Amino acid sequence: GTPDPVVPGASGDLAVYCTPGPGVVLTATGGVSYSWAPAAGLSATTGSPVTATPASATTYTVTVTNAAGAAGAYRIAMVGVV
């Protein structure tokens, strides 16, 4: 059959990271596994949530995979640095 569509949820969009600081928490939902890119500045590249502490403004993408194995990539957050 047709796999279930991936319905992601995301928070942290257009966040600003004040350096030095605790970072910006990026959260994805709606799947069973999550893969983040680019790895630079991230506390982890898999799972959710992750913490971003980038050296420069970075747009992160998360690939969400659901229980049926369907995957979709979503631009989740542009983290600016001040």
Side-chain angles (χ1 to χ4, degrees):
T2 302
D4 294 332
V6 175
V7 181
S11 64
D13 199 37
L14 300 177
V16 175
Y17 166 50
C18 295
T19 180
V24 175
V25 176
L26 306 177
T27 303
T29 59
V32 294
S33 67
Y34 310 94
S35 178
W36 299 85
L42 290 180
S43 60
T45 56
T46 58
S48 178
V50 299
T51 301
T53 53
S56 60
T58 304
T59 299
Y60 290 102
T61 301
V62 60
T63 300
V64 179
T65 304
N66 69 9
Y74 302 91
R75 184 175 68 86
I76 184 175
M78 182 176 72
V79 179
V81 177
V82 293

